[in-house]
């Protein structure tokens, strides 16, 4: 009897201590009188500074357009935004698939404090997409990207190139028969989409690019763009931001293009170098770069120097390509204008880096089916585009923060296949790489 009495006293003392200490995986609980009529245990899985934490902060920062003080608001806006992000990362395309994803993973979503009143209906998702202020949501995406941009650049140890280009939203058609055009600022070193700007209904990229550049930090950066951006307003915006540029030169600047093309035939470049031959994508390519001093090429120095705001360097890019399967030989020449000094030794790197934004646009179409999703209204298309670009950036951020080279080489398609297998994998994927 004495032994049993000692054992009971020991259990009683430890039970009182255990009652005062909560398990590590239990933060709070709700009884059956809660709105969702289920007893929940919220798992404390988030680590401070994780990708999931910052996604949650992004979703909570989007202004709610609804009258939250009146009416029957059953679903929090941040829960709906996070549901769309989770579903899009798991290869769900339409609203019906997003709802099915939410129903299938409802218990797990409730464990992290989401969707207390169940999954929103398809009309609710439609109203949310059309109601959110697309400009505010795009600005919040810019804030989300900026938090990771500096960290990843520090790990890369290189300067930043910013690629500018536009992409038409083929799934939406405006009243004038055109597709809405969204211009992006993309960082190829980090794989992050830094900011976006939508072209107005009766406008084009020429007017949207200066607005986009005003949203990002340009000091010490190199902006690359296609020939459409060879405009005085765009060049002046980059120079005022203390940045440099490298822009392709085509016939939209007719006098400058043909004047440069005729002049370089009789001149010797400041320096030139050749890269290759290289085998890739079924072809053998040899690239030659020739760098010229712009003041020696432009005939009317005073006129052009005054228009473009300073000296310019001319880069001639020549590519000789042999198709491996057929042996067909092709040659191509391109001209680029830059504010970088002629002593810059990596002009070819800047020229080649601009094509990375085309790869990003291709990835949005192939991996996230951007062009295949139809939206009736431009605001809904813009909000959907913001969600898709955040999902694309998340995979690039994950690769940038990883230490293993094998993880850094994984493509977006492979990572999406991995996280789409189950919701637990997705959560584990997003809560890695904590940075305090």
């Amino acid at each position: 009897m004495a032994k049993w009495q000692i054992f009971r006293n020991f259990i009683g003392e430890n039970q009182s201590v255990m009652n005062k200490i909560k398990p590590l995986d239990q933060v709070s609980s709700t009884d059956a009188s809660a709105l969702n009529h289920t007893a929940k245990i919220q798992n404390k899985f988030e680590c401070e500074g994780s990708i999931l934490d910052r996604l949650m902060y992004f979703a909570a920062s989007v202004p709610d357009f609804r009258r939250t003080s009146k009416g029957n608001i059953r679903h929090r806006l941040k829960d709906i935004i996070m549901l769309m992000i989770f579903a899009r990362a798991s290869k769900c395309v339409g609203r019906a698939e997003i709802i099915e994803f939410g129903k299938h993973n409802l218990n797990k979503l409730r464990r992290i404090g989401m969707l207390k009143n169940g999954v929103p209906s398809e009309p609710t998702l439609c109203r949310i997409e059309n109601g959110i202020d697309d400009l505010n949501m795009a600005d919040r995406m810019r804030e989300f990207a900026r938090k990771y941009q500096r960290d990843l650049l520090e790990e890369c140890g290189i300067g930043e190139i910013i690629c500018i280009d536009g992409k038409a939203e083929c799934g939406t058609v405006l009243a004038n028969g055109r597709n809405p055009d969204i211009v992006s600022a993309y960082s190829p070193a980090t794989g992050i989409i830094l900011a976006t700007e939508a072209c107005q209904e009766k406008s084009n990229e020429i007017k949207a690019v200066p607005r986009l550049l005003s949203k990002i930090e340009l000091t010490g950066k190199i902006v690359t763009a296609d020939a459409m951006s060879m405009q005085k307003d765009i060049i002046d915006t980059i120079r005022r931001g203390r940045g440099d540029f490298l822009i392709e030169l085509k016939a939209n600047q007719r006098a400058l293009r043909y004047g440069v093309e005729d002049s370089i035939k009789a001149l010797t470049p400041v320096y030139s170098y050749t890269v290759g031959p290289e085998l890739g994508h079924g072809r053998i390519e040899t690239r030659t770069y020739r760098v010229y001093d712009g003041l020696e090429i432009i005939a009317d120095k005073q006129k052009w120097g005054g228009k473009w705001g300073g000296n310019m360097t001319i880069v001639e890019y020549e590519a000789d390509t042999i198709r491996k399967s057929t042996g067909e030989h092709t040659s191509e020449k391109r001209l680029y204008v830059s504010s970088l000094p002629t002593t810059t030794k990596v002009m070819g790197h800047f020229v080649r880096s601009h094509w990375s934004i085309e790869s990003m646009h291709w990835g949005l179409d192939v991996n996230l089916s951007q062009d295949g999703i139809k939206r009736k209204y431009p605001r809904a298309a813009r909000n959907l585009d913001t969600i898709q670009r955040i999902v694309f950036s998340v995979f690039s951020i994950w690769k940038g923060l990883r230490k293993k080279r094998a993880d850094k080489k994984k493509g977006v398609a492979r990572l999406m296949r991995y996280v789409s297998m189950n919701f637990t994998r997705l959560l584990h994927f997003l809560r890695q790489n904590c940075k305090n």
Side-chain angles (χ1 to χ4, degrees), residues 398-410 433:
W398 184 88
K399 292 192 296 181
L401 294 176
R402 297 294 289 174
K403 301 300 181 183
K404 294 182 179 179
R405 292 184 180 181
D407 289 339
K408 291 180 179 294
K409 294 180 180 180
K410 292 179 181 178
N433 305 302

Side-chain angles (χ1 to χ4, degrees), residues 45-63:
F45 63 89
E46 300 92 350
C47 49
E48 185 179 357
S50 67
I51 299 175
L52 182 59
D53 280 338
R54 295 187 178 180
L55 282 175
M56 291 285 194
Y57 181 83
F58 156 77
S61 66
V62 177

Side-chain angles (χ1 to χ4, degrees), residues 39 59 196 219 284 316 429:
T196 59
T219 304
I284 303 172
E316 183 185 34
F429 176 86

Side-chain angles (χ1 to χ4, degrees), residues 307-368:
K307 179 176 181 180
W308 302 109
N311 296 341
M312 293 188 293
T313 298
I314 305 300
V315 181
E316 183 185 34
Y317 161 71
E318 183 177 1
D320 290 323
T321 305
I322 300 176
R323 182 67 61 179
K324 188 177 178 181
S325 58
T326 62
E328 180 184 1
H329 180 273
T330 58
S331 181
E332 178 187 19
K333 284 187 178 182
R334 295 175 181 265
L335 292 175
Y336 293 85
V337 178
S338 177
S339 62
L340 294 167
T342 55
T343 55
T344 306
K345 298 298 183 181
V346 287
M347 290 292 190
H349 170 67
F350 302 139
V351 171
R352 296 282 292 176
S353 294
H354 180 69
W355 294 102
S356 61
I357 193 170
E358 300 292 348
S359 299
M360 182 269 290
H361 289 160
W362 178 85
L364 288 174
D365 289 336
V366 174
N367 298 317
L368 295 172

Side-chain angles (χ1 to χ4, degrees), residues 170-193:
C170 297
T172 304
V173 181
L174 301 176
N176 57 7
R178 295 173 53 187
N179 302 112
D181 210 10
I182 296 179
V183 186
S184 307
Y186 176 70
S187 171
T190 62
I192 299 176
I193 302 169

Side-chain angles (χ1 to χ4, degrees), residues 185-388:
Y186 176 70
S187 171
T190 62
I192 299 176
I193 302 169
L194 303 177
T196 59
E197 180 67 28
C199 298
Q200 298 177 358
E201 186 173 352
K202 297 182 180 180
S203 182
N204 54 24
E205 294 181 21
I206 295 176
K207 295 184 179 180
V209 170
R211 298 196 302 270
L212 175 66
L213 292 174
S214 65
K215 296 180 178 181
I216 57 180
E217 178 63 37
L218 297 177
T219 304
K221 310 294 176 60
I222 301 169
V223 179
T224 65
D226 56 14
M228 186 177 291
S229 296
M230 192 62 193
Q231 306 292 331
K232 185 180 186 310
D233 291 343
I234 297 175
I235 298 300
D236 290 344
T237 302
I238 297 173
R239 290 189 185 275
R240 285 195 301 267
R242 300 179 183 178
D244 291 297
F245 62 87
L246 186 138
I247 301 176
E248 189 174 0
L249 179 61
K250 287 187 177 180
N252 60 326
Q253 295 291 340
R254 188 176 300 274
L256 182 59
R257 160 74 189 196
Y258 294 127
V260 169
E261 196 173 37
D262 293 338
S263 299
I264 62 176
K265 295 177 181 179
L267 293 177
T268 302
V270 176
Y271 76 92
S272 63
Y273 66 98
T274 301
V275 179
E278 294 179 350
L279 174 62
H281 303 286
R283 59 180 183 266
I284 303 172
E285 187 176 37
T286 304
R287 300 183 297 275
T288 302
Y289 302 95
R290 304 180 184 92
V291 181
Y292 301 86
D293 188 348
L295 289 180
E296 296 183 4
I297 295 176
I298 298 173
D300 190 351
K301 299 178 183 179
Q302 184 177 2
K303 175 183 176 183
W304 292 111
K307 179 176 181 180
W308 302 109
N311 296 341
M312 293 188 293
T313 298
I314 305 300
V315 181
E316 183 185 34
Y317 161 71
E318 183 177 1
D320 290 323
T321 305
I322 300 176
R323 182 67 61 179
K324 188 177 178 181
S325 58
T326 62
E328 180 184 1
H329 180 273
T330 58
S331 181
E332 178 187 19
K333 284 187 178 182
R334 295 175 181 265
L335 292 175
Y336 293 85
V337 178
S338 177
S339 62
L340 294 167
T342 55
T343 55
T344 306
K345 298 298 183 181
V346 287
M347 290 292 190
H349 170 67
F350 302 139
V351 171
R352 296 282 292 176
S353 294
H354 180 69
W355 294 102
S356 61
I357 193 170
E358 300 292 348
S359 299
M360 182 269 290
H361 289 160
W362 178 85
L364 288 174
D365 289 336
V366 174
N367 298 317
L368 295 172
S369 305
Q370 189 177 68
D371 285 347
I373 302 176
K374 300 185 181 297
R375 290 293 181 265
K376 184 176 181 180
Y377 300 105
R379 173 176 285 187
R382 177 79 187 279
N383 287 328
L384 177 63
D385 175 81
T386 301
I387 293 292
Q388 291 170 327

